[in-house]
Amino acid sequence: MPDFREQTIDWLATAAGLERGHIAALLEQPPDPALGDLALPCFRLAARFRRAPQQIAAEIAASELQWPDFFLSIEATGAYVNVRFDPGAFAAAVITAIRESGGRREPVDTEAGPVLIEFSSPNIAKPFHVGHGFSTILGESLARIHSYRGARVLRFNHLGDYGTQFGRLIVAWERWRDDRALEEDPIAELTRIYVRFHDEVENDPTLDDEARERFRALENGDAEAVALWQRFRNLSLESFSRIYRRLGIAFDNWNGESFYSPFIPAVIERLRAAGLLEHSEGAEVVRLDDLDLPPALLLKSDGTTIYASRDVAAAIWRWEQHHFSRNLYVVGIPQTLHFRQVFAVLDKMGCDWADRCQHVGFGTIRFQTGDVNSGEGAQISNFSTRAGNIVKLEDLLNETVAKTRSIMELNQAGRDDGMTEEEIAAASELVGRAAVQFLYLKNGRERDILFSWEEMLDFEGDTAPYLLYTNTRIASILRRAGGDGADAADPADLRLLVSESERELATLLACFDDIVEQVARLSEPSVLARWLLQLARSYNRYYAATPILATAEPGLRRARLALCQAVAARLGLGLGLLGIETVERM
Ligand code: ARG
């Protein structure tokens, strides 16, 4: 938004004799654009002025104070003061601001510390399933949003690389290993032997004792056990890295649960010293009755540490290292209670930064039947789910890319300016990937996702392909425009953009920074996803009804092209903030 809003606030504040802040807090955008561009509801001013809100609105609107030159009208409607901008001046200012921004903005996050975002966090030796996909795609989008706002962002991957299951894995490895299979597909092989352990332990319970023994050896730094664990970890990381590379994600920190384990004794000591630790059924807990929460279990009866204590230690480590302004955990909703307990324990320990920690929960992705975030009960006819019933993110991506490719081949068939095989292959990778990313981001994160190929690949639907396609269409118009095009439009040309649909587009474009603020405040990229769809719909209506290249008047033609260019710039920037790359053609 150009500073029209600021100048309007100034005017209203002076006219009403109130503080700017007061006006800014009340000012809104009328739901019906016919009413105006900004509106001041006067209800809450009634007590202060001891007059009816309608009368206050009328008086402000009638003020003799000189208008800024972009005001078209200012009217009282009931208890509202409606301000209408000169549409040409507004469009010109919006487009100029976008052109000058170059896709950047003045930093608005000037908080002292970095924004730490923990996301993805898959488990070593286990498949990277579609639930981790949710965390990964949501987390990356939040990271990009915060960077855009000017924050220093730290991407943390809290690998699940510790716990008693590693004892079992070592035992299974020693008995049933297959080196070649491990080379070929490490995760599949590690899953196979892990499942085998579970089958065999039914008949031979001593395996469990052995596994406990091996885990203790690992905790005590036994060279052989550590080397094996290290190998499993490296192999898993290699396989996870493939996905991160594909999605263009780079983490700043890979400290897994194992990293924090050595810090736990100090945490336990601190809790004990503060008198917070209690014995309960052989274990050590922190009572959280005052918060109506069940006790947090921090130490098991056999003295081994657990998930929650690792999280308490991790939060303290992160704070001491980084003094974050926010510490976000992008983790599924089933872990809500866990995080409330962890944060409550931190608070009781006197960590006055505990309220900077926040759980960003998300829903479950459901396929035709069953629920596969937890990796259970999925029955998918469309593609195979090896390794039990877990749907792996990589399979979902591959299958979506393949389907995208068939659609694109069909669309391109018979065109004389068609794309080459290679171009189709490259574009379908990007479009297919984008379709999956958008599927995760388009609805409120706490909602479950009902998976459907038809929906996510509908080029006319609420999908990434639709947004990308709109973007390529604009690019093609701009290319065809030739020399006297968007870049040649000067402010006088831009003031010719006065039609209702042009005003609608300018108004939408002006919201961009507010939308980004909402995403950051709510940790909700869906707000941006929805806005992008709205912008694309509005643009496509405009495009269908308005001659652009065929505009006779040269100044107006340049201005319309510049408007198209501004829409494409915001589409590209917005998609980028969702983690989605645009394509040239599709
Ligand atoms: N590895 C866990 C999982 O796959 C998620 C870790 C969540 N983060 C945390 N700090 N506890 O479910």
Side-chain angles (χ1 to χ4, degrees):
M1 182 82 131
D3 62 357
F4 283 20
R5 186 189 172 91
E6 301 308 309
Q7 290 189 50
T8 304
I9 292 171
D10 284 339
W11 190 90
L12 288 167
T14 314
L18 286 169
E19 306 254 303
R20 290 190 87 256
H22 206 125
I23 301 284
L26 293 175
L27 205 62
E28 49 187 52
Q29 211 173 328
D32 176 3
L35 290 170
D37 293 285
L38 287 172
L40 180 73
C42 297
F43 304 102
R44 291 211 235 137
L45 301 177
R48 168 125 179 200
F49 289 112
R50 300 215 186 92
R51 276 201 291 280
Q54 288 82 348
Q55 202 185 335
I56 299 169
E59 283 171 18
I60 295 175
S63 165
E64 304 266 288
L65 186 67
Q66 189 181 354
W67 289 0
D69 53 9
F70 61 86
F71 274 19
L72 186 68
S73 67
I74 175 157
E75 281 164 3
T77 310
Y80 290 84
V81 182
N82 291 320
V83 180
R84 207 171 158 73
F85 300 157
D86 173 72
F90 182 63
V94 169
I95 294 171
T96 305
I98 292 174
R99 280 171 158 187
E100 286 172 355
S101 73
R104 283 174 203 295
R105 81 184 279 189
E106 291 285 305
V108 281
D109 186 328
T110 49
E111 290 204 52
V115 175
L116 196 152
I117 307 181
E118 183 213 290
F119 64 101
S120 198
S121 310
N123 302 316
I124 296 301
K126 298 225 182 106
F128 193 111
H129 58 68
V130 292
H132 295 124
F134 209 151
S135 172
T136 305
I137 285 159
L138 182 57
E140 177 61 18
S141 174
L142 293 174
R144 290 181 185 211
I145 289 278
H146 285 286
S147 303
Y148 176 71
R149 297 178 71 244
R152 190 156 70 84
V153 170
L154 294 172
R155 292 168 169 83
F156 268 55
N157 195 332
H158 189 79
L159 291 170
D161 62 357
Y162 218 55
T164 42
Q165 71 270 27
F166 287 95
R168 289 178 221 129
L169 203 58
I170 291 172
V171 170
W173 176 251
E174 285 164 346
R175 297 190 174 222
W176 308 300
R177 63 198 284 167
D178 177 342
D179 279 287
R180 259 201 47 206
L182 191 76
E183 292 276 295
E184 260 161 41
D185 188 345
I187 303 276
E189 173 59 7
L190 291 172
T191 311
R192 180 189 71 82
I193 60 171
Y194 193 71
V195 169
R196 173 114 185 233
F197 181 94
H198 276 271
D199 292 342
E200 304 257 350
V201 79
E202 303 262 306
N203 304 321
D204 182 2
T206 64
L207 283 174
D208 244 348
D209 302 329
E210 218 180 299
R212 250 191 302 277
E213 195 38 58
R214 301 303 272 146
F215 180 60
R216 194 156 310 138
L218 180 63
E219 282 218 278
N220 294 334
D222 173 84
E224 210 181 314
V226 171
L228 264 182
W229 170 82
Q230 195 74 50
R231 184 162 173 213
F232 298 151
R233 193 176 188 274
N234 288 344
L235 286 168
S236 305
L237 280 184
E238 264 170 47
S239 133
F240 299 155
S241 297
R242 256 203 328 265
I243 292 185
Y244 298 136
R245 264 199 303 278
R246 192 170 183 183
L247 296 172
I249 298 175
F251 288 95
D252 299 291
N253 185 300
W254 292 86
N255 290 349
E257 292 183 37
S258 66
F259 175 86
Y260 301 105
S261 208
F263 301 100
I264 294 176
V267 171
I268 299 290
E269 261 333 292
R270 214 171 130 180
L271 286 166
R272 207 185 301 284
L276 289 167
L277 224 47
E278 268 181 46
H279 258 308
S280 167
E281 296 166 31
E284 304 275 356
V285 304
V286 174
R287 293 213 162 274
L288 303 170
D289 302 355
D290 53 329
L291 298 163
D292 267 334
L293 293 173
L297 179 62
L298 293 172
L299 209 56
K300 275 201 273 194
S301 45
D302 62 1
T304 52
T305 61
I306 50 170
Y307 190 54
S309 39
R310 285 193 280 275
D311 260 325
V312 173
I316 293 174
W317 186 90
R318 291 173 187 179
W319 171 254
E320 285 174 354
Q321 292 290 314
H322 297 295
H323 291 91
F324 46 72
S325 59
R326 300 178 79 179
N327 176 24
L328 305 179
Y329 295 82
V330 187
V331 182
I333 287 175
Q335 296 194 35
T336 302
L337 175 60
H338 164 75
F339 283 110
R340 287 177 65 193
Q341 290 175 309
V342 168
F343 302 157
V345 170
L346 290 168
D347 188 48
K348 282 196 189 293
M349 288 173 80
C351 304
D352 55 5
W353 43 266
D355 60 354
R356 300 178 186 210
C357 301
Q358 205 188 334
H359 174 214
V360 177
F362 54 80
T364 299
I365 172 162
R366 294 173 193 286
F367 290 74
Q368 267 106 323
T369 60
D371 149 351
V372 293
N373 244 14
S374 55
E376 276 159 36
Q379 219 92 102
I380 298 129
S381 50
N382 307 63
F383 61 103
S384 70
T385 56
R386 280 166 293 147
N389 278 327
I390 292 174
V391 176
K392 297 195 293 171
L393 181 65
E394 202 164 28
D395 289 341
L396 182 68
L397 286 169
N398 289 343
E399 196 65 27
T400 308
V401 167
K403 283 186 191 287
T404 307
R405 189 167 175 165
S406 331
I407 296 173
M408 283 178 53
E409 275 163 1
L410 221 64
N411 287 350
Q412 294 290 324
R415 284 207 194 175
D416 16 306
D417 65 337
M419 297 162 71
T420 65
E421 258 321 289
E422 259 173 21
E423 286 169 336
I424 294 181
S428 45
E429 164 66 22
L430 293 180
V431 176
R433 203 198 295 164
V436 172
Q437 291 169 299
F438 200 75
L439 169 81
Y440 283 111
L441 299 177
K442 82 166 177 176
N443 290 319
R445 58 181 158 80
E446 296 195 345
R447 276 176 56 180
D448 288 349
I449 296 169
L450 191 62
F451 182 84
S452 145
W453 300 107
E454 280 76 0
E455 248 178 73
M456 71 193 266
L457 292 179
D458 181 352
F459 280 41
E460 296 294 322
D462 286 351
T463 62
Y466 172 69
L467 294 173
L468 292 170
Y469 189 56
T470 303
N471 191 58
T472 60
R473 254 165 65 172
I474 301 177
S476 133
I477 292 175
L478 295 174
R479 264 198 309 274
R480 281 184 288 144
D484 196 29
D487 291 333
D490 65 18
D493 296 332
L494 299 177
R495 278 195 205 97
L496 301 171
L497 297 169
V498 295
S499 76
E500 202 38 57
S501 52
E502 284 155 354
R503 175 170 170 245
E504 178 183 303
L505 278 171
T507 305
L508 266 172
L509 287 171
C511 293
F512 187 77
D513 286 344
D514 282 347
I515 295 291
V516 168
E517 290 314 289
Q518 278 186 54
V519 176
R521 197 174 59 247
L522 307 170
S523 295
E524 191 64 274
S526 63
V527 175
L528 177 56
R530 294 271 138 208
W531 179 84
L532 286 167
L533 288 168
Q534 228 186 324
L535 180 65
R537 296 266 174 238
S538 172
Y539 173 79
N540 282 314
R541 277 194 302 273
Y542 176 62
Y543 174 78
T546 316
I548 293 170
L549 288 172
T551 303
E553 213 282 287
L556 183 57
R557 181 175 180 275
R558 287 193 291 270
R560 285 181 170 164
L561 286 163
L563 177 60
C564 294
Q565 190 180 49
V567 170
R570 282 307 187 232
L571 276 178
L573 178 61
L575 284 165
L577 293 177
L578 296 181
I580 295 173
E581 261 178 81
T582 54
V583 291
E584 294 268 311
R585 295 181 70 186
M586 60 184 276

